[in-house]
Amino acid sequence: MDAEKMDENEWRYHGEGNKSLVVSHRKCCIVLRFLKFSPNRSKTPEEIFHHLQNIVHFGKHIMKQFFGEKYVHYGEVVHLSLDFVRQLCLKIQSERPESRCDKDMDALSGYAMCLPNLTRLHFPEHRPILCVEIKPKCGFLPFSSHVSQEIKHKVCRYCMHQHLKVAKGKWKRLSKYCPLDLFSGNKQRMHFALRSLLQEAQNNLKIFKNGELIYGCKDNEDSLSDLNELAHHLKPFFFPSNGLVSGPHCTRTILKELIHVITVTLLSSTDDCKAGDVKTVPTSQGRSYCEASAFTKELIRNGKNFLTLSCSNRT
């Protein structure tokens, strides 16, 4: 990538979160990740470089130790032409969700992270590429005595923030997803968590087909969140064995298969990546379930023992 010959028209808006914004190249399978800041907050180019370098080091020296070299793409920090960055910033501004425009993309330092675009991979067979992007959030409860508020030992940060964001109007509905269910290693809880993400994706789930977003929502918008349309896209990958090609039963069957495949993948050993080779999930020192989880509430409502469920159905 020649930083001096880059053309902003070869890049397009890909997405953004609270702290960074991503653009993807139209032809090459790479993305650029820029930091975002409030208009009244400024950092020197050196500070931004070190910030990005710390992210790279975290992926390289910490995440890689947990997931393995093959499963962590930590990228590299690149220095770009300021003219290119400013023109790019102007080009994508109209595509950004209004609710995200309270922060500006860094167009002053010239620094960004370059990473592979995993939504678009090229295979010799030219097979369609399906990419599932999950933003799982924090999957444990704190157990430290330094956390003085008792509620934080019982209810996870994500579930608390759900009520706050709905109250502020960021989201229209509460999600039943709870990170502790997804991280539990229990298939029943994981299925419930993934099903909840599909029902209320918010910004925690996106599904791409050949690099194009086919399922997910843009902040408080309901766009691209039709499950029947998603099932239509997934038919080439998960065509139901019963032969049904349309209707609600077909949609349920395909989505159930998608949830099963994601669960098996998440539970598979990262050493050899063999599907079905289920790994042992370490238990947290803290509470293993969130009291605000819809799954937990349903168990309690039905008078079932959570401890029994947590210790069973691991494989």
Side-chain angles (χ1 to χ4, degrees), residues 270-284:
T270 56
D271 294 330
D272 51 15
C273 198
K274 292 179 180 177
D277 185 7
V278 179
K279 61 187 175 185
T280 301
V281 180
T283 56
S284 168

Side-chain angles (χ1 to χ4, degrees), residues 222-290:
D222 288 328
S223 60
L224 301 176
S225 57
D226 187 307
L227 290 173
N228 291 319
E229 184 67 22
L230 173 63
H232 175 74
H233 282 288
L234 295 178
K235 278 183 182 180
F237 302 92
F238 307 111
F239 196 85
S241 59
N242 58 22
L244 295 175
V245 294
S246 62
H249 183 72
C250 175
T251 297
R252 286 194 299 269
T253 302
I254 292 174
L255 297 182
K256 185 177 179 180
E257 183 65 17
L258 173 66
I259 289 171
H260 171 72
V261 169
I262 296 174
T263 301
V264 170
T265 301
L266 292 175
L267 289 175
S268 294
S269 169
T270 56
D271 294 330
D272 51 15
C273 198
K274 292 179 180 177
D277 185 7
V278 179
K279 61 187 175 185
T280 301
V281 180
T283 56
S284 168
Q285 295 182 50
R287 185 189 295 259
S288 62
Y289 64 94
C290 169

Side-chain angles (χ1 to χ4, degrees), residues 120-136:
R120 290 178 58 226
L121 298 177
H122 291 308
F123 287 102
E125 300 87 349
H126 301 291
R127 293 176 294 174
I129 303 299
L130 182 68
C131 171
V132 179
E133 178 184 304
I134 299 176
K135 188 178 182 181

Side-chain angles (χ1 to χ4, degrees), residues 138-141 151-161 163 176-181 184 189 286-300 306 310:
C138 185
F140 66 91
L141 289 171
I151 187 66
K152 292 186 177 181
H153 292 279
K154 298 178 180 179
V155 178
C156 76
R157 180 181 176 87
Y158 178 85
C159 288
M160 285 193 284
H161 275 209
H163 290 274
K176 292 182 179 180
Y177 168 72
C178 175
L180 271 70
D181 291 330
S184 68
R189 291 176 66 185
R287 185 189 295 259
S288 62
Y289 64 94
C290 169
E291 288 190 357
S293 162
F295 185 88
T296 303
K297 290 179 179 179
E298 189 65 26
L299 279 181
I300 295 173
F306 194 92
S310 297

